[in-house]
Amino acid sequence: MPYFVYRISPPRQLEHLDTVDQYQRAREIVRERRQSEPRETGVEYRLIFARQQGEAERLLSTPRDTRVIGED
């Protein structure tokens, strides 16, 4: 299964940048993009492991639950 690299700009607008078979190369692409993007823009770069591009976009667009560490 390939790794998909995405640019996510507010408000959760996904832009597919690349599809890579190797994790190391996908990680390099994301790191390079993050370093070149000013933080003030609110843009995120993410990589995701999925069977196909549609599944990757669905996973990235679904809001994640906040993590609860420990018990109350």
Side-chain angles (χ1 to χ4, degrees):
M1 287 195 310
Y3 293 91
F4 296 93
V5 178
Y6 279 89
R7 178 180 193 260
I8 305 172
S9 55
R12 298 300 284 175
Q13 189 173 15
L14 302 175
E15 178 185 345
H16 177 253
L17 299 176
D18 205 351
T19 302
V20 184
D21 290 329
Q22 297 179 339
Y23 172 76
Q24 290 82 7
R25 180 63 190 136
R27 185 181 66 192
E28 288 173 11
I29 293 169
V30 169
R31 285 183 175 175
E32 290 169 3
R33 297 281 183 141
R34 285 178 180 162
Q35 288 177 353
S36 65
E37 186 76 36
R39 291 184 183 231
E40 304 83 46
T41 61
V43 172
E44 297 179 48
Y45 290 94
R46 302 270 312 268
L47 68 90
I48 189 157
F49 186 65
R51 290 188 182 112
Q52 56 188 338
Q53 187 174 344
E55 180 183 3
E57 291 180 4
R58 181 182 53 79
L59 291 169
L60 286 172
S61 62
T62 304
R64 296 172 69 181
D65 294 335
T66 55
R67 287 184 68 187
V68 177
I69 301 174
E71 294 183 41
D72 291 315

